Amino acid sequence: MRNLAFYLFTFFFISALSSQELKSPDENLKMNFSVSGDGTPTYELSYKGKIVMKPSKLGFEIKDKESLIENFEIVSFAQTTFDETWSPVWGEVKAIRNYYNELFVSLNQKTTARKLNIRFRLYNDGLGFRYEFPEQNNFIYFVIKEEKTQFAVSGDHIAFWIPGDYDSQEYKYTKSNLSKVHHLLRNAVEKNASQYVFSDTGLQTPLMLKSVDGLYINIHEAALIDYPCLSLDLDDKNFILSSHLTPDAKGDKGYIQAPFNTPWRTIIVSDDAREILASKLVLNLNEPCKIKDTSWIKPSKFVGVWWEMINGMSSWSYTNLPSVKIGETDYSQTKPNGKHGANNENVKKYIDFAAKHGFDQVLAEGWNIGWEDWFGKSKEYVFDFLTPYPDFDVKALNSYAKEKGVKLIMHHETSSSVINYERHMDKAYQFMIDNGYSAVKSGYVGNIIPRGEYHYGQLMVNHYLYAVKKAAEFKIMVDAHEAVHPTGLQRTYPNLLAQESARGTEYDAMTDNNPDHTTILPFTRLIGGPMDYTPGIFQMDLSVYNPLNKNKVSSTLARQLALYVTMYSPLQMAADYPETYEKFLDAFQFIKDVAVDWDDTKILEAEPGDYISIARKAKGTNNWFVGCTVDENGYRSKFKFDFLDESRVYIATIYSDAKSANYKTNPQAYEIRKFVVTNKSKFSQQCAPGGGYAISIIEADKIQIKSLKK
Amino acid sequence: MRNLAFYLFTFFFISALSSQELKSPDENLKMNFSVSGDGTPTYELSYKGKIVMKPSKLGFEIKDKESLIENFEIVSFAQTTFDETWSPVWGEVKAIRNYYNELFVSLNQKTTARKLNIRFRLYNDGLGFRYEFPEQNNFIYFVIKEEKTQFAVSGDHIAFWIPGDYDSQEYKYTKSNLSKVHHLLRNAVEKNASQYVFSDTGLQTPLMLKSVDGLYINIHEAALIDYPCLSLDLDDKNFILSSHLTPDAKGDKGYIQAPFNTPWRTIIVSDDAREILASKLVLNLNEPCKIKDTSWIKPSKFVGVWWEMINGMSSWSYTNLPSVKIGETDYSQTKPNGKHGANNENVKKYIDFAAKHGFDQVLAEGWNIGWEDWFGKSKEYVFDFLTPYPDFDVKALNSYAKEKGVKLIMHHETSSSVINYERHMDKAYQFMIDNGYSAVKSGYVGNIIPRGEYHYGQLMVNHYLYAVKKAAEFKIMVDAHEAVHPTGLQRTYPNLLAQESARGTEYDAMTDNNPDHTTILPFTRLIGGPMDYTPGIFQMDLSVYNPLNKNKVSSTLARQLALYVTMYSPLQMAADYPETYEKFLDAFQFIKDVAVDWDDTKILEAEPGDYISIARKAKGTNNWFVGCTVDENGYRSKFKFDFLDESRVYIATIYSDAKSANYKTNPQAYEIRKFVVTNKSKFSQQCAPGGGYAISIIEADKIQIKSLKK
């Protein structure tokens, strides 16, 4: 009997050291970590009994050394629980609960005596895990050939995807089964100024999946620091997604010095699509705010000199010279082309408009010398970020703006000439401070210089963060376009207000966007962070401006208003022309009223690719704003106002598609109605194809309540 | 007759438009430019009737476009003469005559209607030519696949060469016929921290040749700006050397925006080897000084904490930690290894020594955090250039130095992590100014980051110049090690005092140098600019310091003194230990006396690989210094003092090899003799194998002259 007891004990002991279970606080999610027979670290995940991830391998291929793939044994493990509520500097909600059960596993690779740790955090809304290379003398500096993290999904799920690419995210989303990716991918690749599609089965993250058994699963990464960006390569026989990192110019995928933690790999899970949008997993996995004084970080709304250039009505450049040389071309001797958008008169017009309608800032693109040959030339010394064109008076315009209570937004298009940008950055940021700017929109259009590097490689990941950290030293906010996909770093560096890093409104003018595009983006791109989507287009038929432009914006006007709520960002542009807004001042009122910073958010309805409706409570007020965006089929949206305060009465102004509205044929047909609502009220609204609605819900005064009760 | 006259005229006209002759001012050199039958631009060169270059092609392979190789016609040409004398800020001579005949040829490529200009300048000492891409709308931005400049030498010349390499020049020179390069090259490749040998017949420039018919020919480039570095690839069947540029990470060889001028390709020619060393061709082809106020640029001599690390007696690093992280490792908590060279006590010792013996500056390598893992790790954030180790008190040491009339030299080893260096550069330069430094020795040991780039590619060429130009803004002088070979840019940016960029004295300690090394370097490496060779080693048997080091310095002590004259540099180090110099104070006196800036230079004797003796007149004085360095065969040097002033009398102190001296067996045997000399005196001296001599010739006082005459 003693022997049996001994063997039973040993059996349990060995079992304990070869697998570990972790549950989420509400126990809906269960993760199991184990080391297989050949010593391969493996995890699997289930949600309410349904498989989310089948046994999926973990590890790394290492350059010129034995890989970290097999021959592991568990040395030790520890389970802990963490529960803390924190407040973001700005956000969708005032307070975020960071509540998880954690499993920390320490592994030893028997063949090399190298240690590898993996940390799993299981939240109610999903799993995050990262690799941790501890300090150890026999494994300090190494180069990753490929990360070997698997996401072995349970079947031929529906996916909302864009092609895996080392340089561009500006693709339309495709909705298809995973098995169809291989057939559809090449056709999904639209030409871009800089792109590198690495595989016929490569996919970018955040990747949104809807499983065959009704689970919503989102795969992404959090806290991408000093490491190349994650993409996924799909094995469509076995439905295994494998990590595929972005290489450097030589094909290597990460230069590491231990101790080092990789970014978190994140899997958000729910049987309710709304919970995917509500998830705070990515933010929770990021480090707390590192900026001591955040008083200078301010969400805002802006207008600007931009849409006119996108539409070919004016030019970024001052002349039509075929080429220029910074510091050599004497612009006082050149012939202006008469179409330069960012000129004193035009910018003042925007400043006046912003002041009149309560916008905080005005963006002016094309303010600086060098735009004549900025694009497609792989030009190294392309901009100096300091010298304005002759018709852009920096001091005068900033002074004028200041008088009117408005600021200008700086523009740093880098043309991806990154060494050049870094050489000028300190002076360029100081120039901003000296001239009254507090925010910069940066851009990385074109192939990266140093040539051979990619937008999403380790070098560029480091650069984007370098630019943000340095901006914080100068108390400057950043809106980065064409940068690597966001991964929640805005928690740590909240001066990173927004990014583009996806296909935005400009594509409505340059080619087209799908009418369901904005019903997908929050499930994909926005999982990592806010998007500067630049909505608010009221004139859909762009040939009205430029007869040569046959493109149309695939949206109704009412849906454009909704986007200020559904496309979360602390930085929002009203992108259309002042003249156009002045024709629709009643609808424009919503954009003027909508907040950009929130105390609370309710996801009312959501289905990726179909519809999204969201309600948000404006920070420091009792007011709410609701937005709904729907696909080409239209949708009848229904919700209850039960999120409103019981004791209050509100005036709801509803901006909705007219009955006859249609994004293709009748996009500008909208109606505006006012209702008195309480938390007992209900709402039902038919949205047009490619349409939606927006609602401002403003707390009514008490006098009005009294009169109501009478 | 009229028809005949017409045809004769046309014939001459066509001849005139298909070939052009250019002569040097003294008519010894004749260059002929022509366009061959298929439209290939070609040049040839002769010296006193002997062929220097047989017909040699010119042109470019262009990426993704028709190449610039054939189908050219001459559109026009112009011949001019230029004659101007200019003064360098510092140099071997006070005044330099820039006197040449120039041929400017304008070509049109018939198949593409693209223009290409070539400018030839023919001096008495050689030819320089460069390509000029003019402004034209159909050819602005393009990428060079390869430059196709030929140097078709007339036979199997003797060459003094190092293997062509994109990353290292630190090889021993091989002297061989061109036909033997192919057999010898691989064996000539010694291992280096960063190297890329591109061909079995690749050669670096400056390349020194001695032709089968006794001509000395040197091939190099001048004014290397925004272009990749020139190497040569040898066709050893036909003895044609072809230009081979350094590629970027993708294999491209130069991103160009016209209008643009390439660097000058230079061919120095003489039948007298001394005229090669005396040539000012490379400087003359560079742009005049661009720095307005040069009063802060000062040649100097220095000592420093360096040789002890090279010899393994002390370490650059403060601890023996296997790795550190800048900004994270707390050095106040670490255990010092007790062998850190750049500590307060040691540096003060060097300051005292410098002050006592009249040296201007003290170098301290290893002053800053990060040296524990600086080498061979491809570590990106390797140094911050700001934070000293705990035992190096920046303020106190600079203060102490200042009291003693000495300055510290800053050290910026970058480990080739170039983006990191540029990120810190402004602050690092400001730190220097704030703390009393005025000169920096920079280094680029290891493979370049951005990874995939090479030390001699266009990106790095731009970086080195960026560092020099920015240094000039801060009034800082630069001594760049491991940088691209110099090409005379020190005329334009005279704060670029010196470079290493070749195999220097450190190799005597780390492996070995050939005894004839310093009889070759002035014919090769120094053609482009001064070298920080760091001579002055008095203890040749290094096992005396470190029993583990069996290496010996391949030189006699007397030759070490000579190097201060023969290895021209405005920045010279006395590299050995103070304790060693104190044992040989009589010999050390020469190093104390020798100047570093000159009004005049006479090349007395020269034969590449065999011997060099040079006399130089110290700036602003009537004093002269002579140095002679010889190869392993020894040499009897003879010269006349006829360069001395007729009306003066001088005391010559001669430091020469003792009769028994030999670099291998008896290197420290020297003798010192004093003579009274006038310009009628003659000199004859046997130099030992690997030996030489140094002479200081100091003007005697008039009283002494009177007593002489009596």
Side-chain angles (χ1 to χ4, degrees):
Chain A
M1 280 300 275
R2 194 162 150 277
N3 281 350
L4 180 61
F6 174 75
Y7 285 122
L8 283 172
F9 175 74
T10 312
F11 172 76
F12 292 136
F13 189 67
I14 290 168
S15 310
L17 280 188
S18 60
S19 86
Q20 273 292 303
E21 187 183 66
L22 181 67
K23 298 180 193 172
S24 59
D26 63 8
E27 302 199 1
N28 284 335
L29 278 162
K30 291 193 174 133
M31 195 279 296
N32 196 285
F33 172 81
S34 61
V35 168
S36 67
D38 62 1
T40 304
T42 310
Y43 77 100
E44 48 189 308
L45 187 67
S46 68
Y47 177 82
K48 292 182 181 172
K50 292 179 176 177
I51 295 174
V52 177
M53 296 297 160
K54 299 189 305 188
S56 304
K57 299 182 187 181
L58 299 163
F60 293 88
E61 265 174 30
I62 305 295
K63 187 177 185 183
D64 298 336
K65 290 187 214 269
E66 181 171 336
S67 284
L68 291 164
I69 287 178
E70 42 194 25
N71 299 317
F72 282 99
E73 62 189 350
I74 300 180
V75 172
S76 68
F77 59 89
Q79 288 216 22
T80 52
T81 299
F82 185 87
D83 189 356
E84 186 190 77
T85 299
W86 60 279
S87 285
V89 172
W90 44 259
E92 300 180 69
V93 296
K94 182 162 56 176
I96 296 174
R97 187 179 188 192
N98 189 9
Y99 181 27
Y100 58 82
N101 290 326
E102 175 178 291
L103 170 67
F104 179 78
V105 179
S106 190
L107 303 171
N108 175 54
Q109 188 175 44
K110 293 176 283 190
T111 44
T112 60
R114 289 180 305 189
K115 305 231 173 318
L116 175 66
N117 301 332
I118 310 178
R119 191 179 301 268
F120 298 88
R121 289 184 181 167
L122 199 46
Y123 292 74
N124 288 342
D125 49 353
L127 172 67
F129 63 88
R130 72 178 181 192
Y131 302 89
E132 302 189 0
F133 302 100
E135 200 158 343
Q136 53 188 326
N137 283 359
N138 58 346
F139 196 55
I140 307 176
Y141 309 93
F142 55 95
V143 180
I144 294 173
K145 267 188 72 177
E146 185 62 275
E147 183 181 324
K148 308 296 281 180
T149 301
Q150 290 184 335
F151 303 87
V153 299
S154 64
D156 191 12
H157 301 339
I158 290 169
F160 298 83
W161 56 270
I162 51 175
D165 192 308
Y166 298 151
D167 276 312
S168 175
Q169 309 114 336
E170 293 178 356
Y171 299 111
K172 291 175 176 172
Y173 276 85
T174 302
K175 171 185 175 179
S176 81
N177 289 92
L178 290 172
S179 58
K180 295 283 188 291
V181 166
H182 192 247
H183 300 118
L184 299 172
L185 196 137
R186 288 291 161 188
N187 282 341
V189 176
E190 205 180 288
K191 217 170 177 333
N192 191 283
S194 176
Q195 63 197 143
Y196 190 104
V197 173
F198 60 81
S199 157
D200 279 350
T201 49
L203 306 168
Q204 298 197 34
T205 79
L207 176 68
M208 188 66 219
L209 302 170
K210 187 171 177 183
S211 79
V212 296
D213 48 0
L215 288 187
Y216 296 91
I217 300 166
N218 186 290
I219 302 173
H220 189 40
E221 56 176 338
L224 173 60
I225 295 177
D226 197 17
Y227 198 80
C229 169
L230 174 71
S231 295
L232 302 168
D233 209 358
L234 168 67
D235 161 7
D236 55 12
K237 300 276 171 298
N238 301 301
F239 301 116
I240 299 177
L241 295 147
S242 294
S243 56
H244 181 104
L245 303 179
T246 305
D248 68 12
K250 297 176 64 186
D252 297 317
K253 296 193 175 201
Y255 274 70
I256 310 294
Q257 178 187 355
F260 180 82
N261 303 330
T262 67
W264 297 88
R265 280 69 190 85
T266 60
I267 306 168
I268 303 172
V269 191
S270 182
D271 49 14
D272 182 342
R274 296 175 299 171
E275 289 187 359
I276 304 297
L277 298 185
S279 170
K280 297 291 177 286
L281 186 78
V282 170
L283 280 176
N284 271 330
L285 288 168
N286 271 267
E287 291 295 299
C289 177
K290 282 195 154 93
I291 299 176
K292 287 196 161 56
D293 163 29
T294 58
S295 60
W296 50 275
I297 300 175
K298 299 182 163 78
S300 71
K301 280 183 284 187
F302 67 102
V303 293
V305 181
W306 173 72
W307 192 234
E308 54 189 89
M309 283 94 79
I310 294 289
N311 277 283
M313 308 296 289
S314 62
S315 64
W316 282 272
S317 64
Y318 178 70
T319 77
N320 286 342
L321 292 169
S323 77
V324 296
K325 288 194 177 184
I326 305 292
E328 293 179 38
T329 300
D330 181 357
Y331 280 94
S332 70
Q333 302 297 314
T334 58
K335 177 168 176 270
N337 61 18
K339 306 194 72 177
H340 179 223
N343 64 71
N344 291 320
E345 191 184 319
N346 198 27
V347 176
K348 278 191 190 151
K349 189 185 87 181
Y350 276 85
I351 292 171
D352 291 342
F353 182 82
K356 180 174 174 187
H357 294 288
F359 286 81
D360 309 287
Q361 305 194 73
V362 172
L363 169 71
E365 291 201 4
W367 69 276
N368 54 330
I369 63 170
W371 283 92
E372 282 77 1
D373 55 358
W374 73 286
F375 180 81
K377 309 287 190 276
S378 193
K379 187 181 175 190
E380 213 234 323
Y381 189 15
V382 60
F383 290 114
D384 71 2
F385 312 97
L386 294 173
T387 311
Y389 277 127
D391 59 350
F392 187 94
D393 187 330
V394 175
K395 288 220 169 311
L397 287 172
N398 276 282
S399 190
Y400 187 80
K402 189 174 181 179
E403 282 170 38
K404 300 255 176 171
V406 165
K407 283 185 179 234
L408 295 188
I409 295 181
M410 172 53 73
H411 186 226
H412 287 171
E413 175 54 61
T414 70
S415 285
S416 295
S417 183
V418 169
I419 293 178
N420 179 61
Y421 186 36
E422 291 202 8
R423 285 178 178 169
H424 290 89
M425 198 183 282
D426 283 74
K427 287 202 166 80
Y429 282 167
Q430 187 60 50
F431 180 86
M432 285 176 62
I433 297 309
D434 292 344
N435 287 289
Y437 295 84
S438 59
V440 58
K441 169 179 171 176
S442 62
Y444 296 87
V445 173
N447 288 328
I448 299 296
I449 303 174
R451 300 181 181 98
E453 287 289 337
Y454 301 102
H455 280 75
Y456 313 143
Q458 186 180 24
L459 184 147
M460 284 308 295
V461 165
N462 282 341
H463 165 77
Y464 303 125
L465 187 56
Y466 174 77
V468 166
K469 285 163 119 170
K470 187 176 283 294
E473 290 170 26
F474 286 82
K475 295 186 163 41
I476 284 170
M477 295 170 277
V478 176
D479 170 19
H481 284 226
E482 294 90 26
V484 70
H485 61 206
T487 59
L489 289 172
Q490 63 272 17
R491 173 179 181 188
T492 319
Y493 304 99
N495 66 314
L496 175 56
L497 280 196
Q499 297 185 204
E500 185 195 44
S501 305
R503 190 183 180 89
T505 296
E506 65 191 6
Y507 276 86
D508 280 297
M510 305 192 312
T511 50
D512 68 317
N513 279 325
N514 289 332
D516 66 355
H517 191 49
T518 56
T519 69
I520 298 174
L521 279 174
F523 283 98
T524 53
R525 163 62 182 76
L526 276 78
I527 292 294
M531 180 173 176
D532 181 24
Y533 189 71
T534 70
I537 304 303
F538 283 13
Q539 177 54 261
M540 296 5 179
D541 179 357
L542 300 170
S543 68
V544 161
Y545 301 133
N546 180 356
L548 296 172
N549 189 353
K550 306 296 182 205
N551 296 321
K552 295 194 201 308
V553 180
S554 307
S555 173
T556 65
L557 195 149
R559 193 255 285 283
Q560 287 290 311
L561 302 178
L563 296 177
Y564 289 91
V565 180
T566 65
M567 295 291 287
Y568 170 63
S569 177
L571 184 67
Q572 292 279 20
M573 186 179 192
D576 212 329
Y577 305 122
E579 298 85 351
T580 303
Y581 288 133
E582 270 152 11
K583 293 195 192 122
F584 301 95
L585 283 174
D586 55 354
F588 188 57
Q589 190 60 43
F590 180 83
I591 300 180
K592 293 173 64 169
D593 293 341
V594 74
V596 280
D597 202 8
W598 312 99
D599 275 342
D600 201 3
T601 292
K602 304 290 181 201
I603 313 297
L604 303 172
E605 302 162 293
E607 184 62 37
D610 293 352
Y611 53 84
I612 295 174
S613 56
I614 300 179
R616 305 193 194 270
K617 188 180 188 192
K619 191 173 215 152
T621 75
N622 292 314
N623 303 326
W624 288 76
F625 293 84
V626 183
C628 175
T629 175
V630 307
D631 72 5
E632 64 278 9
N633 299 316
Y635 176 69
R636 173 161 284 281
S637 167
K638 293 181 189 170
F639 68 84
K640 298 180 184 170
F641 284 95
D642 55 3
F643 50 83
L644 296 178
D645 203 81
E646 205 178 80
S647 62
R648 300 182 207 279
V649 173
Y650 304 79
I651 297 169
T653 308
I654 299 161
Y655 307 77
S656 54
D657 297 321
K659 266 205 174 58
S660 63
N662 182 295
Y663 79 94
K664 261 196 275 200
T665 56
N666 195 16
Q668 285 174 326
Y670 64 93
E671 48 188 42
I672 302 178
R673 292 162 292 151
K674 283 194 194 291
F675 291 99
V676 175
V677 298
T678 68
N679 81 328
K680 300 277 185 290
S681 307
K682 294 183 190 177
F683 184 74
S684 173
Q685 176 70 44
Q686 179 63 41
C687 301
Y693 59 79
I695 313 178
S696 61
I697 309 171
I698 310 300
E699 183 186 13
D701 296 332
K702 296 214 185 301
I703 292 173
Q704 286 168 289
I705 297 169
K706 284 185 187 155
S707 35
L708 197 71
K709 285 190 172 168
K710 231 195 268 197
Chain B
M1 280 307 270
R2 194 162 150 276
N3 282 348
L4 179 62
F6 173 77
Y7 286 122
L8 283 172
F9 173 74
T10 312
F11 174 76
F12 290 136
F13 187 69
I14 290 169
S15 313
L17 282 189
S18 60
S19 86
Q20 272 293 301
E21 186 184 67
L22 182 67
K23 297 182 195 173
S24 57
D26 64 7
E27 303 200 1
N28 283 336
L29 278 162
K30 289 190 173 132
M31 195 278 298
N32 197 285
F33 172 80
S34 62
V35 168
S36 67
D38 63 3
T40 303
T42 309
Y43 77 100
E44 47 189 308
L45 186 66
S46 68
Y47 177 81
K48 293 182 179 171
K50 292 180 176 176
I51 295 174
V52 177
M53 297 296 160
K54 299 190 308 189
S56 304
K57 299 181 186 181
L58 300 163
F60 294 87
E61 266 175 29
I62 305 294
K63 187 178 184 184
D64 297 337
K65 288 183 213 272
E66 181 172 335
S67 284
L68 290 165
I69 286 176
E70 44 195 22
N71 299 315
F72 283 99
E73 61 188 351
I74 300 180
V75 173
S76 68
F77 60 88
Q79 289 217 22
T80 52
T81 299
F82 186 86
D83 189 355
E84 186 190 76
T85 299
W86 60 281
S87 285
V89 171
W90 44 259
E92 301 180 69
V93 296
K94 181 164 53 175
I96 297 175
R97 188 179 188 193
N98 188 11
Y99 180 29
Y100 58 83
N101 290 324
E102 173 178 293
L103 170 67
F104 179 78
V105 180
S106 188
L107 302 171
N108 175 54
Q109 189 176 42
K110 291 177 282 190
T111 44
T112 61
R114 289 179 305 189
K115 304 231 174 316
L116 175 65
N117 301 330
I118 311 179
R119 190 179 300 268
F120 297 87
R121 288 184 182 166
L122 199 47
Y123 293 74
N124 288 342
D125 51 352
L127 172 68
F129 64 88
R130 71 178 182 193
Y131 302 89
E132 302 189 0
F133 301 100
E135 201 158 343
Q136 55 189 326
N137 282 2
N138 58 345
F139 196 56
I140 306 176
Y141 309 94
F142 55 94
V143 179
I144 294 173
K145 267 188 71 176
E146 186 62 276
E147 183 179 325
K148 308 296 281 178
T149 301
Q150 291 184 335
F151 304 86
V153 298
S154 63
D156 191 11
H157 300 339
I158 290 168
F160 298 82
W161 56 270
I162 50 175
D165 192 308
Y166 298 150
D167 276 310
S168 174
Q169 309 113 337
E170 293 179 356
Y171 299 112
K172 291 176 176 170
Y173 276 86
T174 302
K175 170 185 175 180
S176 81
N177 289 91
L178 289 172
S179 58
K180 294 283 186 291
V181 166
H182 191 246
H183 299 118
L184 298 172
L185 197 137
R186 288 290 162 190
N187 282 341
V189 176
E190 207 179 289
K191 215 168 177 338
N192 191 286
S194 176
Q195 64 196 140
Y196 191 105
V197 173
F198 60 82
S199 158
D200 279 350
T201 50
L203 306 167
Q204 298 198 33
T205 80
L207 176 69
M208 188 67 219
L209 302 170
K210 187 172 177 182
S211 79
V212 296
D213 48 0
L215 289 187
Y216 296 92
I217 300 166
N218 185 290
I219 302 172
H220 190 40
E221 56 175 339
L224 173 60
I225 295 177
D226 197 17
Y227 197 79
C229 168
L230 173 71
S231 295
L232 302 169
D233 208 358
L234 168 67
D235 161 5
D236 57 11
K237 299 277 171 298
N238 302 299
F239 302 117
I240 299 177
L241 296 147
S242 293
S243 55
H244 180 105
L245 302 179
T246 305
D248 68 12
K250 296 176 65 185
D252 297 318
K253 298 193 174 201
Y255 273 70
I256 310 295
Q257 177 189 354
F260 180 82
N261 304 329
T262 68
W264 298 89
R265 280 71 190 83
T266 59
I267 307 169
I268 303 172
V269 192
S270 182
D271 48 14
D272 182 342
R274 296 175 300 170
E275 288 186 0
I276 305 297
L277 298 186
S279 169
K280 297 292 176 283
L281 186 77
V282 170
L283 280 175
N284 270 330
L285 289 168
N286 272 267
E287 291 295 299
C289 177
K290 282 195 153 93
I291 298 174
K292 287 196 161 55
D293 163 28
T294 59
S295 60
W296 50 275
I297 301 175
K298 297 180 162 77
S300 70
K301 279 184 282 187
F302 67 103
V303 294
V305 181
W306 172 73
W307 192 234
E308 54 188 89
M309 283 94 79
I310 294 289
N311 277 284
M313 308 295 290
S314 60
S315 64
W316 282 271
S317 64
Y318 177 70
T319 76
N320 287 341
L321 291 171
S323 77
V324 297
K325 288 194 177 184
I326 306 293
E328 293 179 39
T329 301
D330 181 357
Y331 280 94
S332 70
Q333 302 297 313
T334 59
K335 178 167 174 270
N337 60 20
K339 305 194 73 179
H340 179 223
N343 63 70
N344 290 321
E345 193 186 318
N346 197 26
V347 175
K348 277 190 190 154
K349 188 186 89 180
Y350 276 85
I351 293 171
D352 290 341
F353 182 81
K356 179 172 171 187
H357 294 288
F359 285 82
D360 310 286
Q361 306 195 71
V362 172
L363 169 72
E365 292 200 4
W367 69 276
N368 53 331
I369 62 171
W371 284 93
E372 281 78 2
D373 56 357
W374 73 286
F375 180 80
K377 308 289 190 282
S378 192
K379 187 182 176 190
E380 213 234 322
Y381 190 14
V382 60
F383 291 113
D384 70 3
F385 313 97
L386 295 174
T387 312
Y389 276 127
D391 60 349
F392 186 94
D393 187 330
V394 175
K395 288 218 169 314
L397 286 171
N398 276 282
S399 190
Y400 186 80
K402 189 173 181 181
E403 282 169 37
K404 300 256 175 170
V406 165
K407 280 184 182 239
L408 294 188
I409 295 181
M410 173 52 73
H411 186 225
H412 286 171
E413 175 53 61
T414 70
S415 285
S416 295
S417 183
V418 169
I419 292 178
N420 178 60
Y421 185 37
E422 291 202 8
R423 285 177 177 170
H424 289 89
M425 197 184 283
D426 283 74
K427 287 202 165 82
Y429 283 168
Q430 188 58 51
F431 179 86
M432 285 176 62
I433 297 309
D434 292 342
N435 287 289
Y437 294 84
S438 61
V440 58
K441 169 179 172 179
S442 62
Y444 296 86
V445 173
N447 288 327
I448 300 294
I449 302 173
R451 301 182 181 98
E453 287 290 336
Y454 301 102
H455 280 74
Y456 313 144
Q458 186 181 24
L459 184 147
M460 283 309 294
V461 165
N462 283 340
H463 164 78
Y464 304 125
L465 187 56
Y466 174 77
V468 166
K469 286 163 119 171
K470 187 177 280 294
E473 289 171 27
F474 285 82
K475 296 186 164 36
I476 284 170
M477 294 171 277
V478 175
D479 170 21
H481 284 225
E482 293 90 26
V484 71
H485 62 207
T487 61
L489 288 172
Q490 62 273 14
R491 174 179 181 187
T492 319
Y493 302 99
N495 65 313
L496 175 56
L497 281 197
Q499 296 185 205
E500 184 196 45
S501 305
R503 190 183 180 89
T505 295
E506 65 191 6
Y507 275 86
D508 280 295
M510 305 190 315
T511 51
D512 67 316
N513 279 325
N514 289 332
D516 68 354
H517 191 49
T518 55
T519 70
I520 299 174
L521 279 174
F523 283 98
T524 53
R525 163 60 183 77
L526 275 80
I527 292 293
M531 179 172 176
D532 181 25
Y533 188 71
T534 68
I537 304 303
F538 283 13
Q539 176 52 263
M540 295 5 179
D541 180 356
L542 300 170
S543 68
V544 160
Y545 301 132
N546 180 354
L548 295 173
N549 190 354
K550 305 296 181 205
N551 296 322
K552 295 190 201 306
V553 180
S554 308
S555 174
T556 65
L557 193 149
R559 193 255 285 282
Q560 287 290 310
L561 302 178
L563 296 178
Y564 288 92
V565 180
T566 65
M567 295 291 287
Y568 170 62
S569 178
L571 185 66
Q572 292 279 20
M573 185 179 193
D576 213 327
Y577 305 121
E579 298 85 350
T580 304
Y581 289 133
E582 270 152 10
K583 292 196 192 126
F584 301 95
L585 282 174
D586 54 354
F588 188 57
Q589 188 61 41
F590 180 82
I591 301 180
K592 292 173 65 169
D593 291 341
V594 74
V596 281
D597 202 8
W598 312 100
D599 274 341
D600 201 4
T601 292
K602 305 290 182 200
I603 313 298
L604 304 171
E605 301 161 293
E607 184 61 38
D610 293 352
Y611 53 83
I612 295 174
S613 57
I614 300 179
R616 303 194 195 269
K617 188 180 189 194
K619 190 174 215 151
T621 75
N622 293 311
N623 302 327
W624 288 77
F625 294 83
V626 183
C628 176
T629 173
V630 308
D631 72 5
E632 63 278 9
N633 298 315
Y635 175 70
R636 173 161 283 281
S637 168
K638 293 181 188 173
F639 68 85
K640 297 181 186 172
F641 284 95
D642 55 3
F643 51 84
L644 297 178
D645 201 83
E646 205 180 79
S647 62
R648 301 182 206 281
V649 173
Y650 304 78
I651 297 170
T653 307
I654 298 159
Y655 305 76
S656 54
D657 298 320
K659 266 204 174 57
S660 63
N662 182 296
Y663 81 94
K664 259 196 277 198
T665 55
N666 193 17
Q668 285 173 324
Y670 65 91
E671 47 189 40
I672 301 177
R673 293 163 291 150
K674 282 191 192 294
F675 292 99
V676 175
V677 298
T678 68
N679 79 328
K680 301 275 185 292
S681 307
K682 294 182 191 177
F683 183 75
S684 173
Q685 175 71 44
Q686 180 64 40
C687 301
Y693 59 78
I695 314 177
S696 62
I697 310 170
I698 310 300
E699 183 186 16
D701 294 333
K702 296 213 185 301
I703 293 175
Q704 288 171 288
I705 297 168
K706 283 187 189 157
S707 37
L708 197 72
K709 285 189 173 170
K710 238 202 268 206

